C-alpha cells in the first residue's frame, strides 16, 4: 500500500551530535527521506565549555555550537525526534523507548560514547553531591572549593582549566606519568598556580557524609576534597550496532572504512562511535558528511 | 648555530583552503612551529557563491567563510605567507617564487586543484571577454544576456542557478546523459524556467569579434552566446608532490590513508588534492585536522 511505502525512510540517523547532524544536513542535499532519532541534541560536544578549534570561530561553547547545528538541520526540514532507540533489526526496523516503530532502507549510526565511570565505592552515592561527569554543567558551583579532576586527556585538561576559574585548588589525578593532553593545554596547566598534577595515582574510594569530603588514593594517601570530576573518556554506544551484526574493534568501536561503510551493507557510521584516531567536532562532521554520501550511493544502486 | 635551528619549522602547510587552514588551527594546538604558504587564501572554496552545508550556518558565501577561517588562523598567531612554492626537496626544503627558502621537519600538502580547461579554440582568447572560470566573480556582469555553463557536477549546477538570477537564458552543456549534481540541485534546475540542459554535447569552438558571440557544438549546431562559464572540475596540484616522491593515483590525486599519511614519511596531505571520495569544505576540514595530528604524532617519535 502506498501509505505503508511512505513510512519507509531512506535513512535513519541515530544520534544528534556533530556527526549525526552533519549527516542529516548532507542527507537533505541528496534528497533522502531522513529522520534523526536521538536522546539528546549535541552529544558529548555539549560538555565542552570552550571549543577553540571549530574553523572560523575562535571560541564558542559546545552547547552554542550544537544549537547552531540543530537550527541548521531543522531549517532544512529534518525532524530530530528526541527519543531513545531501544531495538534495531535487519531490514531495517527501529524501535524507540517511546514505543515508536520505523522502517528505513539505510542506517547511519552516530551514537557517540557514554562517559566512563571509575567504578569505586562512593562514586554512585555522591553523584550530584560532589561527584560530576560534566565540568561545564557543574564547575561553577565549586567556587573557592577544593576539587579534583580524574584523567589525563584533553577533556580532563580542559576541565581542570575551567575549574581553576572557580575553585581555590584543583588537583589532576592521573594514573600515568605524563598527561596526554595537547601540548598547548599542558603548557597552560603548568602555568596555572591553582592546578597541581598528581601522577601515577588512582582514586580507590570517595568518602563523605552528605557531600563528598575526601578521597583515598591507591597509595593510601587521603586528600580533603569537595568535588570529584571524572573525565576518563567514553565507551562507544555500540549495543545497538551489535544487534544487527556490525563489527567492532577491541575498544568496542565500530570498524568503519574511509567512506564510513561498516561490514553490514546499508549501515554506515561516523563520529566517536567509530575507530577514528581523532575524536573532534570537525572530524566527526567530515565523517558524517561522508556517511550520508555513502548512504546516498548505496541507495542509487 | 641556534639561529639556524630556529629557522626549521615543525610543519609547513602548503595551501590555505579549508584543509590547509584547519591543519594550521590544529598544528597550533599541538604547539608545532608552523608556517602556511599559499598563493591565495581560500582556494576553490572562494568560488562558491553560496555554501549551504557548512554545519551551523544555513547560507554563506565561500569568500566570507574562508575569511573567517583566515581570521581564526591569524588570531592563533600563524602566518599565512602569500607566495607560491616552486620547489620542494627532501629534508624538507621549500623554495618560493618570491625567492624565500625554508626548512621543515614535516609537510602538509593541501594545494587543492586548479580549474580544468576545455582546451578548445577561442577559450584562451576570450578569457575575461565572455569566457570565465568563476561564476561567483563574473556572473553578475551577464545581466539579461544568454550564457552557458559547461559541466554536470555540483559546481556546474550551482553556477547555472546563480547565473539564472542575472541572465535571460542559461544553457547547461554536458557531455553525458544526466547531470551528476546532488538531487536537490537537479530539482531546482528542473523547476527553473530560464535553464535548459543540453545533454550529450560538447563545445568545439568559441567564436566572436571582441567578445564571445557564439559557440559551436560537436553536433555542428551553433548557438548565439555571450558568456561561457567553464565548470568541469579541477586537476590536483600535485607537481610539487611528485618532486619528493609522493605516490599519486590514476586521477593524479595524492594517495592518502585514513590518517592522511602519504607514502613519504613526514609528508601528509588533505583536501581536494587527495583521493578522497567527497570534495567538500567540511570533509577537507576534518581531513586537515587529521593531517596535523598525524604530523604531531610523527614528530613525537
Amino acid at each position: 500500500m502506498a501509505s505503508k511505502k511512505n513510512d519507509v525512510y531512506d535513512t535513519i540517523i541515530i544520534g544528534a551530535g556533530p556527526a549525526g547532524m552533519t549527516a542529516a544536513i548532507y542527507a537533505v542535499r541528496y534528497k533522502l527521506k531522513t529522520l534523526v532519532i536521538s536522546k539528546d541534541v549535541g552529544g558529548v560536544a555539549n560538555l565542552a565549555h570552550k571549543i577553540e578549534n571549530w574553523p572560523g570561530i575562535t571560541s564558542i561553547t559546545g552547547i552554542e555550537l550544537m544549537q547552531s547545528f540543530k537550527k541548521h538541520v531543522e531549517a532544512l526540514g529534518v525532524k530530530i525526534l528526541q527519543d531513545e532507540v531501544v531495538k534495531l533489526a535487519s531490514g531495517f526496523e527501529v524501535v524507540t523507548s517511546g514505543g515508536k516503530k520505523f522502517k528505513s532502507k539505510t542506517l547511519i549510526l552516530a551514537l557517540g560514547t557514554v562517559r566512563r565511570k571509575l567504578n569505586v565505592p562512593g562514586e554512585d552515592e555522591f553523584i550530584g553531591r560532589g561527584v560530576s561527569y560534566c565540568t561545564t554543567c557543574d564547575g561553577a558551583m565549586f567556587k573557592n572549593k577544593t576539587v579534583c579532576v580524574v584523567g589525563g586527556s584533553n577533556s580532563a585538561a580542559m576541565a581542570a582549566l575551567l575549574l581553576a576559574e572557580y575553585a581555590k585548588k584543583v588537583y589532576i589525578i592521573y594514573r600515568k606519568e605524563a598527561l596526554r593532553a595537547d601540548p598547548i593545554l599542558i603548557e597552560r596547566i603548568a602555568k596555572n598556580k591553582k592546578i597541581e598534577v598528581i601522577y601515577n595515582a588512582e582514586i580507590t574510594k570517595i568518602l563523605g557524609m552528605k557531600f563528598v569530603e575526601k578521597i583515598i588514593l591507591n597509595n593510601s594517601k587521603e586528600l580533603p576534597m569537595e568535588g570529584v570530576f571524572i573525565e576518563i573518556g567514553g565507551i562507544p554506544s555500540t549495543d545497538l550496532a551489535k544487534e544487527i551484526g556490525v563489527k567492532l574493534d577491541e575498544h568496542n568501536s565500530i570498524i568503519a572504512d574511509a567512506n564510513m561503510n561498516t561490514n553490514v551493507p546499508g549501515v554506515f557510521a561516523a563520529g566517536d562511535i567509530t575507530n577514528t584516531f581523532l575524536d573532534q567536532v570537525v572530524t566527526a562532521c567530515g565523517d558524517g558528511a561522508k556517511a550520508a554520501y555513502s548512504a546516498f550511493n548505496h541507495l542509487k544502486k
Side-chain angles (χ1 to χ4, degrees), chain A:
Chain A
M1 289 184 299
S3 67
K4 268 233 158 138
K5 207 170 178 186
N6 285 338
D7 292 329
V8 178
Y9 286 91
D10 290 321
T11 195
I12 290 182
I13 298 163
I14 309 178
M21 290 199 279
T22 305
I25 290 166
Y26 272 81
V28 171
R29 273 197 97 64
Y30 304 132
K31 300 287 288 174
L32 306 186
K33 187 169 151 71
T34 304
L35 176 67
V36 181
I37 307 176
S38 185
K39 265 197 297 189
D40 64 298
V41 172
V44 293
N46 281 336
L47 307 182
H49 72 281
K50 207 194 261 181
I51 292 177
E52 296 175 329
N53 44 14
W54 174 251
I57 301 178
T58 50
S59 187
I60 188 168
T61 68
I63 289 173
E64 283 172 329
L65 185 60
M66 290 305 98
Q67 286 300 310
S68 75
F69 280 33
K70 178 175 183 263
K71 273 187 202 156
H72 194 168
V73 170
E74 291 177 342
L76 294 170
V78 176
K79 186 173 178 185
I80 301 176
L81 176 68
Q82 291 210 27
D83 197 346
E84 185 179 7
V85 174
V86 289
K87 198 170 152 26
L88 276 190
S90 352
F92 297 96
E93 293 179 358
V94 178
V95 183
T96 74
S97 69
K100 294 205 172 73
K101 286 181 189 183
F102 303 98
K103 282 212 150 206
S104 184
K105 294 173 193 162
T106 67
L107 294 176
I108 296 175
L109 303 178
L111 287 137
T113 56
V114 291
R115 305 301 296 273
R116 196 181 294 275
K117 292 182 138 198
L118 285 177
N119 292 319
V120 298
E123 182 178 16
D124 286 342
E125 189 185 340
F126 290 108
I127 286 177
R129 296 185 292 133
V131 169
S132 168
Y133 300 87
C134 179
T135 312
T136 306
C137 320
D138 303 329
M141 295 186 293
F142 290 79
K143 209 170 171 182
N144 295 322
K145 302 213 179 220
T146 297
V147 299
C148 66
V149 175
V150 186
S153 66
N154 277 337
S155 49
M158 290 293 279
L161 288 163
L162 175 63
L163 285 166
E165 292 177 24
Y166 302 107
K168 71 174 175 212
K169 176 78 186 177
V170 180
Y171 293 97
I172 296 177
I173 295 168
Y174 189 43
R175 63 194 165 87
K176 295 195 177 171
E177 280 174 20
L179 300 180
R180 59 189 174 86
D182 293 346
I184 198 168
L185 300 176
I186 292 174
E187 188 180 82
R188 287 186 204 164
I189 285 167
K191 283 182 184 162
N192 194 309
K193 284 170 187 162
K194 282 186 181 175
I195 304 177
E196 181 181 333
V197 188
I198 305 178
Y199 298 101
N200 302 307
E202 292 182 64
I203 292 179
T204 56
K205 211 178 261 185
I206 300 168
L207 296 165
M209 296 296 287
K210 202 172 167 193
F211 295 93
V212 170
E213 290 172 15
K214 64 180 176 185
I215 59 170
I216 299 180
L217 300 181
N218 53 341
N219 57 9
S220 301
K221 203 182 157 185
E222 280 188 25
L223 274 177
M225 197 65 63
E226 294 165 284
V228 179
F229 291 83
I230 297 162
E231 293 281 358
I232 53 171
I235 302 167
S237 299
T238 42
D239 289 348
L240 291 168
K242 278 182 221 162
E243 290 181 15
I244 48 170
V246 172
K247 269 193 198 152
L248 310 179
D249 71 5
E250 69 276 21
H251 303 293
N252 210 38
S253 301
I254 291 178
I255 300 171
D257 70 11
N259 299 348
M260 304 302 122
N261 297 294
T262 71
N263 62 303
V264 179
V267 180
F268 310 91
D272 291 3
I273 199 174
T274 69
N275 58 338
T276 169
F277 86 139
L278 180 61
D279 287 337
Q280 292 284 298
V281 172
V282 75
T283 53
C285 290
D287 290 349
K290 291 177 190 176
Y293 188 54
S294 285
F296 169 57
N297 285 328
H298 176 83
L299 289 164
K300 273 200 302 190
K301 277 177 209 160

